[in-house]
Amino acid sequence: MSQPPPIVLSFAASDSSGGAGVQADILTLASMGCHPLSVITAITVQDTAGVDDVMPLDPEWVADQARAVLEDMPVHVFKIGMLGSVEIITVIAEVISDYPNIPLVLDPVLASGRGDELASEDMVIAMRELLLPQATIITPNSMEARRLAQDDEDDYDTPPLSQCAARLLHMGCEYVLITGTHENTSQVTNNLYGADGVIRTDSWQRLPGSYHGSGCTLASAIAAALANGLPLAEGVYEAQEYTWQSLKSGFRPGMGQYLPDRLFWARDETDTVDAPKTNDPARN
Ligand code: PXL
């Protein structure tokens, strides 16, 4: 029997389109060699064009799913995506606080890339107070970074992203990766910040088209890289590379957005291996 792969526990909502949410996490984590555990926080009704409805789960069910698997298996990394309610944030914060040595990748999902609201203002406050202080790294896009870092004194001026990052670090997370997909720049530039400022800046060719599930893919890929033992800054680079490749190989299965192909490497014809020959006469 072989050794189990590194185990990553994803707290996430179901996306019936298979583009984002727990489905994106499972595909990404498995594709990067990890065993994904999934604790479902909410169920969404959605297709590739948008979110129609959200049903958060009973918080007790969220806690029970997490406790069951945590008592059974050694988890190497936690990944948190869409949360569903303040009560769910509270129970998750409580469960993970019992495991302070497990790194946490927090994707602060506030809205879908298409603009569907996925978190209330109360949830933003709960995330800031209960989850950010426990996070190894948070992965907001620039809009999420501005909203999370918003201060009563900002009035109508939004601070520069470097200042948002400094505020988020001050709230207690160790690293902040702010992605630049939503910025009006020719390339997509992502910045990783730590206590001493920018640690790395990576720019990627902006791909045409609109994608659903890129943020979940990136955060899960970072979780997988950490579970595979990569140092954080290197893992953040590898995860961006993986995400960009999956977007470049993206496909449009329906009438809405493109989805990343998290298994792009398995479909590369030049990489395919012939099926092993068999001596079984029944099969020849
Ligand atoms: O991309 C963020 C996200 C996370 N989780 C679920 C989602 C979305 C975006 O639509 O639907 C379930």
Side-chain angles (χ1 to χ4, degrees):
M1 285 209 288
S2 44
Q3 285 292 311
I7 296 176
V8 176
L9 194 172
S10 157
F11 296 87
S14 169
D15 169 0
S16 46
S17 79
V22 70
Q23 289 81 0
D25 295 357
I26 290 172
L27 279 167
T28 303
L29 292 166
S31 168
M32 291 187 69
C34 296
H35 175 60
L37 307 181
S38 44
V39 169
I40 307 287
T41 56
I43 298 172
T44 69
V45 175
Q46 62 179 306
D47 56 22
T48 61
V51 180
D52 283 339
D53 219 341
V54 178
M55 183 184 75
L57 257 60
D58 179 334
E60 282 299 311
W61 274 75
V62 176
D64 287 352
Q65 293 173 74
R67 295 260 184 230
V69 292
L70 279 161
E71 279 162 26
D72 183 33
M73 286 172 270
V75 170
H76 294 82
V77 175
F78 289 129
K79 187 257 168 184
I80 297 183
M82 185 185 150
L83 288 153
S85 72
V86 170
E87 293 74 21
I88 292 173
I89 294 174
T90 308
V91 296
I92 292 176
E94 210 174 291
V95 170
I96 64 172
S97 70
D98 288 344
Y99 299 86
N101 297 325
I102 302 181
L104 166 63
V105 179
L106 171 64
D107 180 14
V109 175
L110 304 185
S112 76
R114 305 169 288 215
D116 309 297
E117 279 297 322
L118 298 173
S120 64
E121 197 49 36
D122 284 352
M123 287 172 62
V124 173
I125 294 166
M127 268 188 231
R128 272 190 207 127
E129 290 180 357
L130 302 176
L131 293 179
L132 250 74
Q134 301 194 60
T136 310
I137 177 168
I138 65 170
T139 61
N141 61 40
S142 48
M143 298 192 301
E144 289 165 336
R146 290 187 183 103
R147 189 164 158 208
L148 274 172
Q150 203 167 25
D151 195 302
D152 290 345
E153 284 154 29
D154 288 343
D155 293 327
Y156 298 105
D157 294 336
T158 43
L161 288 172
S162 56
Q163 197 180 330
C164 293
R167 285 185 191 174
L168 296 170
L169 290 162
H170 192 68
M171 290 176 198
C173 53
E174 276 180 69
Y175 298 93
V176 179
L177 175 68
I178 302 184
T179 57
T181 324
H182 294 87
E183 298 300 286
N184 193 10
T185 49
S186 57
Q187 291 194 310
V188 174
T189 298
N190 304 328
N191 281 297
L192 175 66
Y193 300 88
D196 298 327
V198 178
I199 294 174
R200 64 176 308 137
T201 298
D202 297 292
S203 291
W204 302 88
Q205 182 197 335
R206 190 178 281 282
L207 296 164
S210 166
Y211 291 87
H212 175 51
S214 53
C216 305
T217 304
L218 178 63
S220 290
I222 294 172
L226 296 180
N228 283 321
L230 286 186
L232 189 125
E234 207 177 307
V236 163
Y237 177 77
E238 290 292 324
Q240 291 177 73
E241 167 87 37
Y242 170 85
T243 303
W244 190 84
Q245 292 292 348
S246 73
L247 295 172
K248 191 165 173 3
S249 310
F251 53 89
R252 189 169 182 238
M255 292 181 279
Q257 292 180 293
Y258 282 80
L259 308 186
D261 185 359
R262 269 84 36 155
L263 292 174
F264 62 87
W265 53 268
R267 298 191 225 282
D268 186 344
E269 277 171 24
T270 56
D271 279 353
T272 53
V273 177
D274 287 335
K277 297 270 188 306
T278 170
N279 290 326
D280 178 355
R283 301 184 61 189
N284 283 330

